[in-house]
Amino acid sequence: MTPAQNAMLDALAATLGPRGIVTDPADIAPWETDWRRRFHGHAPAMLAPASTREVAAVVAAAAAHRVPLVPQGGNSSMVGGATPPADGSALILSLRRMNAIRSVDAAAGLAVAEAGVILSDLHDAALAVERRFPLTLGAKGNATVGGLVSTNAGGTQVLRFGSMRGLVAGLEVVLADGSIHDGLAALKKDNRGYDLTQLLIGAEGTLGVVTAATLRLVPVPASRTTAWAAAADPQAALALLRRFQSATEALESFEILPRESLAAVLAHVPGLRAPLDGEHGWHLLIEHTDDAGAALMERLLAQALDDGLIDDATIAASDAQAATFWRIRESISDSERALGPASQHDLSVPVDAMPRFMIEAAAACEARFPGTHASGFGHLGDGNIHFHVRSAPGTDPARWYAEDVPVVTRFVDDLVIAAGGSIAAEHGIGQMKRDELERLSSPARLTALHAVKAAMDPLGILNPGKLVALAPKPPAQ
Amino acid sequence: MTPAQNAMLDALAATLGPRGIVTDPADIAPWETDWRRRFHGHAPAMLAPASTREVAAVVAAAAAHRVPLVPQGGNSSMVGGATPPADGSALILSLRRMNAIRSVDAAAGLAVAEAGVILSDLHDAALAVERRFPLTLGAKGNATVGGLVSTNAGGTQVLRFGSMRGLVAGLEVVLADGSIHDGLAALKKDNRGYDLTQLLIGAEGTLGVVTAATLRLVPVPASRTTAWAAAADPQAALALLRRFQSATEALESFEILPRESLAAVLAHVPGLRAPLDGEHGWHLLIEHTDDAGAALMERLLAQALDDGLIDDATIAASDAQAATFWRIRESISDSERALGPASQHDLSVPVDAMPRFMIEAAAACEARFPGTHASGFGHLGDGNIHFHVRSAPGTDPARWYAEDVPVVTRFVDDLVIAAGGSIAAEHGIGQMKRDELERLSSPARLTALHAVKAAMDPLGILNPGKLVALAPKPPAQ
């Protein structure tokens, strides 16, 4: 603990009380490493305020003592975005005690949730008043509202409802000087200058600390229809996507996976079987909530079969069967991990460019790195896939991660930029992609990012080392 | 013309050519006054670049010579946002020559339009490929894409599709140092740091110059149903709004007007007649594009009649009749202006709070300013009304505007803030509301606005005096 950190904790002791200041290393340890165990940091203390006012006191004290803070929710970042630096210079600011759902208004379609509310709890609270918060993702049992906002999280329902950016109606934020910005009022039209809510969404805790959010709720759909289809190639899948989009505004998911992803799941997860007989190159998981229900799904799939766009298809006959389809989809990452170490990339390109990218990027990687296997799966409807380059059989994992992954990453990222895409689609930048963001951004974008960071966090105390490379100021004497 | 301005024009002469530099006062004059003739400025020259590269050259030269620029599109700002300062210190940067629609992609639902494209031309280009750009407003024949983006414009279809913020998929922007940020790629998921596109939307040209935008298009609806209804009070109107929202996702407009607004229109516009017989306190203009068509409208209105929510209603029997309903709605501002000078306010509060606000704010104004008449009309579904306080009969207009309007404005703005609302709903801040924004913003918000402005435009050359009060730096010697 540095003298500045000690002085800061002393100053906060009365405000936060014993539950609000955690210094036992055993209690801090689980939060010093990210959940995939890729990033390891160290924090000599963890602050756990229970109210917005307490968060404001923490940030004001951090500013006064020049002690950096690492805001943290469920610690489910995919890019080391919530892991403290290894040198112990920063303290963890846990928002998990701020877990109240302040209000749920079914008629207005709005809920106000504090930063520490877990996504699945928000889902339940909405359902209790016959509404839905239409964003979900694998980590829903851990991910918190603050983290979802701060990473502009996506998931499998973005196609219809957008990412968090489209679902946040207002924010309460503690700024870097400890002042509170109350922007929770859900005004449908508000043009009072620069939109601080939008600026904070996706800022990864580097511009301010999100303490609560007003979130949009939508009606619970009367019916949900889920299908599995097989296509010869991603281009045919895209054509089918466009047909669905022309036919209904209630298309909620359009996921694609290659033959090898399905094979990996079937080999890894006991009791699962392929939804369709025979061998197929590409598989599609399609879901809509149109009132026309299974009839619409049947019509579009039958027509696609007739036209040769797809080879086979089946509509889930029950909720249980639909859940099985989704279990296959959600088991891909774990199943592929069991096949060996891989370089994993969360990327996006314009939707129309994705079919070609999936084929050509895989071929380019395998040609450039002999023995590797490359493939992508995910949200075709969003132009966003998770692209994995698996190491050649027999590769030493330590060498792969230390030496090969950075080279593979730069190669893949260059392909993404050449296709007009983004190297950070739904997982953000964190510490993992920070240097690549610097390398691949235009001077105009970089200058703007640095200027905004320096303006909103002049002392560099908010989530240092994440997203942009601005060093914190040295502690005050 | 100052020496710095002369030097800047000399430096730009070769790049812009004679069409790109306008110095004849007669050619500049129409652009020195806003369209409502409330704000008068002076610019010794107007720059009219024809390409993004030329805009970049203009901004780079302005930075080099410390000459402020006032970006301007259709000059239809309601808040003096595009009118130059009166002292001649700034030049107008007209984007009107940049009027190409670079692409329209019906399948992807995207159009790329340059800043100078007029809204009605964009509507036509979308319709030509059977798509719709779902934002419209009274000034559609003048307002340009750059201005719509920079003011986060709203209008009468925001209820379903949102304001510009929800319709912009990407931006091309010239930043304050003359560098070009190319963010036109329409990526559905992109988390590469702070969202510069969202930061520039609604920034009123004070952080960068928008040169082009990628805009979302939606399918043309198969049918459109328009109705006129009469309600006893705004609270009943709100209850009806919620019923419509529960019944369909395709509710596009829900406008409210008081008896006196309708009377003003009927007195002012020859040939128009009231859609319903008899006298009614409040009128509603309701429009949906649900496939269920008139049957849905009939069912909901019949039920509302049965339940006493509304007193009477009629469904437009033809497109011509629907157009007549809209003509009434769109004639309110002009008609009320004919009744005498008024203090006009574009404000929003949470939707549920609007009925009470409409009644209480009107009563409070009339009590505080005896002889005046106050009422609001507009977008009930967005929680956004245009609230007019008309001067007492016999008031001298010059005195009203100079002395009374500022007092009335502060009174109304205080009511809005007390109701948790925004003093700038869809018209922005410009120069008209800048001091009120300063007066009524929290220290946290103000500090953040000033910090962002200083970071993105350190020389203060972009639309000086608008939105935030930061003085430009003196010209370089």
Side-chain angles (χ1 to χ4, degrees), chain A residues 105 107-109 131 151-156 158-161 163 165 175 177 179-183 185-196 198-199 201-204 206-207 219 242 245-246 249 348-352 379 381-384 417 420-429 437 440-445 447-453 455-456 466-468, chain B residues 105 107-108 131 151-156 158-161 163 165 175 177 179-183 185-196 198-199 201-204 206-207 219 242 245-246 249 347-352 379 381-384 417 420-429 437 440-445 447-453 455-456 466-468:
Chain A
D105 183 338
R131 287 294 180 274
T151 59
N152 183 26
T156 51
V158 169
L159 188 53
R160 181 168 185 199
F161 296 103
S163 61
R165 195 173 292 289
L175 299 177
D177 61 358
S179 62
I180 298 169
H181 167 63
D182 178 0
L187 301 171
K188 296 207 168 187
K189 290 181 177 168
D190 182 13
N191 281 311
R192 278 178 290 175
Y194 318 131
D195 191 321
L196 300 181
Q198 290 295 331
L199 186 58
I201 295 172
E204 304 188 10
T206 65
L207 302 182
R242 294 307 189 203
Q245 288 180 313
S246 294
E249 292 181 29
S348 66
V349 299
V351 178
D352 284 342
H379 321 293
D382 306 327
N384 167 214
I417 297 300
S422 169
I423 64 166
E426 60 176 3
H427 295 166
I429 299 295
L437 178 69
L440 295 167
S441 294
S442 70
R445 183 195 289 266
T447 302
L449 295 184
H450 285 201
V452 169
K453 168 67 177 177
M456 295 289 289
K466 313 295 167 32
L467 211 161
V468 286
Chain B
D105 183 338
R131 288 292 180 275
T151 58
N152 183 27
T156 50
V158 168
L159 188 53
R160 181 168 186 201
F161 296 104
S163 61
R165 196 173 291 289
L175 299 176
D177 61 358
S179 63
I180 298 170
H181 168 63
D182 178 0
L187 300 171
K188 297 208 169 186
K189 290 180 177 169
D190 182 12
N191 281 311
R192 279 178 290 176
Y194 318 131
D195 192 321
L196 301 181
Q198 290 295 330
L199 185 58
I201 295 172
E204 304 188 10
T206 64
L207 302 182
R242 294 307 188 200
Q245 288 180 314
S246 293
E249 293 180 27
L347 59 88
S348 66
V349 299
V351 178
D352 284 342
H379 322 292
D382 306 326
N384 167 213
I417 297 300
S422 170
I423 63 166
E426 59 176 3
H427 295 167
I429 299 295
L437 178 69
L440 295 168
S441 294
S442 70
R445 183 195 290 265
T447 302
L449 295 185
H450 285 200
V452 168
K453 169 67 177 176
M456 296 287 290
K466 314 293 166 36
L467 209 159
V468 286

Side-chain angles (χ1 to χ4, degrees), chain B residues 34-36 39 74-83 151 427 430-431:
Chain B
D34 73 306
W35 74 281
R36 291 198 297 177
F39 300 94
N75 196 25
S76 53
S77 171
M78 303 288 281
V79 289
T83 306
T151 58
H427 295 167
Q431 52 186 294

